[in-house]
Amino acid sequence: KIVGEISQAFIVPRYVRLFYSRFGQERAATFFEIGSGNGDMSRAVLAANNGQIGRYVVSEYFPEGVEWLKKQGLEAIPADACKLPLADASFDVTVEFDVMHHVADPRAMAREMMRVGRGRCLLTESNGLSIFRKLKELTPGHRAAGEKSYTPRKWRSFFENHPGFTLVRFDIFPFLFPFKVPRRLLPALVWWNKIIEKIPFVRWQCSSVAIYIEYRSDSS
């Protein structure tokens, strides 16, 4: 509802391309996705699976959300993002799409992502450097959704200096500039989203960022 029809026309396919740009060479890897919402992104990722994914488990906070996800054919569990009900190193990779900027304690969620995974995380998140993003967060829809944005340095800090873990790699880059437009303007908006990620300096006005993390568990 917040971004309109561009979600299916461009955003979901763009997220899928991001996922497989990082994990396209995997074979039968296991993934845990935190906060899967209505499952659109999860189902799109799985639909493009060509052997890279061996198991893909999703989660939601509310029981009703978990039941919805199960009805979509997904393996779903109830989970608080800041206290995941999973053993250490349960999955090869932990992922989340636009979840951490809603939680009250992003640092706790970051640690849980590292604890449950085996050295890799993928996130898409809000861009605190984007003026457009900051202005959107003042609108009723984004305020109701609890939207918050952070700078690249702040995003990194959420994953740093956790006892038992050492951050090895932190890649962050601008990702998407979507907003709601009438249907007749949708092709122009899709074109703009494809272009802006590549324009020097201006690209950091994208409303989102993609984050790829590699880390080491000091106990392993």
Side-chain angles (χ1 to χ4, degrees):
K1 289 183 178 180
I2 288 176
V3 297
E5 292 177 278
I6 194 175
S7 181
Q8 292 300 323
F10 183 71
I11 294 175
V12 172
R14 180 70 182 91
Y15 278 55
V16 172
R17 290 197 301 273
L18 171 70
F19 181 92
Y20 285 100
S21 73
R22 292 293 178 177
F23 308 120
Q25 302 304 313
E26 299 291 324
R27 283 294 173 267
T30 58
F31 295 84
F32 182 68
E33 182 189 337
I34 302 170
S36 304
N38 63 11
D40 283 358
M41 207 73 69
S42 315
R43 288 187 291 110
V45 166
L46 284 166
N49 180 28
N50 190 28
Q52 296 93 341
I53 300 172
R55 186 186 182 200
Y56 195 96
V57 180
V58 303
S59 69
E60 257 303 322
Y61 183 79
F62 295 105
E64 297 87 350
V66 176
E67 289 307 309
W68 170 267
L69 291 168
K70 287 180 178 179
K71 289 177 181 177
Q72 309 309 305
L74 298 165
E75 182 179 355
I77 65 168
D80 180 338
C82 297
K83 194 174 182 181
L84 297 174
L86 297 166
D88 297 354
S90 298
F91 292 84
D92 293 318
V93 185
T94 53
V95 301
E96 63 94 339
F97 301 116
D98 305 309
V99 175
M100 192 177 286
H101 65 259
H102 294 288
V103 305
D105 190 348
R107 185 168 171 79
M109 179 176 167
R111 188 186 188 284
E112 283 295 273
M113 291 186 75
M114 292 193 291
R115 181 185 68 80
V116 168
R118 300 189 191 116
R120 291 176 292 171
C121 304
L122 178 69
L123 307 82
T124 58
E125 276 303 339
S126 58
N127 179 16
L129 296 180
S130 170
I131 296 172
F132 174 74
R133 180 82 195 199
K134 287 296 187 183
L135 291 174
K136 281 204 306 182
E137 289 170 12
L138 300 176
T139 63
H142 283 74
R143 291 177 67 182
E147 299 270 336
K148 296 181 280 295
S149 59
Y150 303 101
T151 64
R153 181 172 294 183
K154 189 67 173 178
W155 282 120
R156 182 183 179 110
S157 75
F158 295 146
F159 290 87
E160 289 181 316
N161 302 317
H162 288 283
F165 299 98
T166 300
L167 193 63
V168 175
R169 178 178 177 180
F170 184 91
D171 295 342
I172 185 168
F173 51 92
F175 185 76
L176 291 180
F177 191 91
F179 52 93
K180 200 169 187 176
V181 298
R183 179 175 295 183
R184 67 182 182 277
L185 297 179
L186 190 59
L189 182 56
V190 169
W191 173 83
W192 173 242
N193 270 268
K194 290 179 179 179
I195 294 297
I196 191 173
E197 290 183 32
K198 302 174 184 178
I199 302 175
F201 303 110
V202 178
R203 63 198 296 260
W204 280 102
Q205 288 306 304
C206 283
S207 62
S208 301
V209 290
I211 302 169
Y212 174 71
I213 292 166
E214 294 181 0
Y215 62 93
R216 182 177 68 249
S217 172
D218 298 337
S219 61
S220 61

